[in-house]
Amino acid sequence: MIEVVKAPPFATVQDLGWPTGRAMGLPRGGAMDPVLLERVNRALGNDPGAAAIEWALGPGTLRFERAASAVVTFGAAARLDGAPQHKVLIEVPLGGVLEIVPKQEERFTYIGVRGGLDVPPLMGSRSTYLPGAFGGYLGRRLQAGDRLAIGPEPEQPTLGRLNLPLRADPTADVVLRVTRGPQWDRFDGAARDLFFASRYNVSSTSDRMGYRLTGPAVPPQEAATLPSEAACPGAIQIPDDGQPIVLMPDGPTVGGYPKLGVVIQEDLARLAQCQPGRGLRFREV
């Protein structure tokens, strides 16, 4: 078991999300940065979709009730029994105490262990879906006193390096690649040009359902509200005020706002790591 001695304001169990269920209104869910989660698991020799802790917003402490191999991504500093850790793979002894202190560059850190976290699977996933209060560990954020089981280690783990995806300069705007959305034609040329020429910022009201952006308003030619239709992670919805909302992994499966474009999957993970206030620009592909 891993005991949560001190929980940060936001920490949940996540894997790569639900393989099915959208017909019932269940979003894909899972890790906000699935690219990074997969690489953590490959470094540990786990299945790429093994469950880990998605950690954000503050420091916390874990106590290991068995020896384990762990990885803490570079978005946080790690201390084992008070000693700073500089290696990617951390060998935690029986009773070892691991302290995690997030840095400011990235929004989410992942803490993985060899064998993955063995919370009960639901519909093919161990992810937490907070709006529905199910999955993961009791359908909620982790709290002090929670105890997470570690799954059986792979018999012959194929260990790898933690090959991190390239990250942008934290002082530079993040450029996100976008394909055309289903309501592309509801925006005239001037509105599209404005969208792609402008700088937007991630709003502090962003969450796992959607990232709200602030910047120049992009009005459609017609009223924004449409009959609800299917929506997907990465969809860029434009509500009545013209301020874009990018749907994230826990975003709704349907929506009635026109969708100007869709952020491609790899870049959606980069967006997920953007702190509030981070500057963004879009490029059509």
Side-chain angles (χ1 to χ4, degrees), residues 27-28 34 58 86 111-112 125 217-218 221 242 247 271 273:
R28 185 194 74 196
H86 304 293
I111 296 97
S125 174
V218 185
Q221 299 179 75
L247 298 187
L271 172 59
Q273 291 289 10

Side-chain angles (χ1 to χ4, degrees), residues 259-282:
K259 292 171 280 296
L260 173 60
V262 181
V263 177
I264 69 171
Q265 185 172 352
E266 184 170 349
D267 285 5
L268 190 64
R270 296 174 60 225
L271 172 59
Q273 291 289 10
C274 291
Q275 296 280 10
R278 186 67 185 271
L280 305 173
R281 293 184 182 274
F282 296 94

Side-chain angles (χ1 to χ4, degrees), residues 62-112:
L62 306 172
R63 178 184 292 115
F64 285 68
E65 297 178 0
R66 53 165 274 195
S69 299
V71 164
V72 178
T73 58
F74 296 151
R79 290 195 287 265
L80 177 60
D81 295 330
Q85 300 298 295
H86 304 293
K87 294 183 178 180
V88 169
L89 189 64
I90 303 172
E91 297 297 342
V92 184
L94 170 67
V97 175
L98 191 63
E99 184 180 1
I100 296 97
V101 181
K103 302 175 184 177
Q104 297 301 314
E105 291 83 3
E106 297 188 349
R107 193 161 182 166
F108 295 99
T109 292
Y110 292 89
I111 296 97

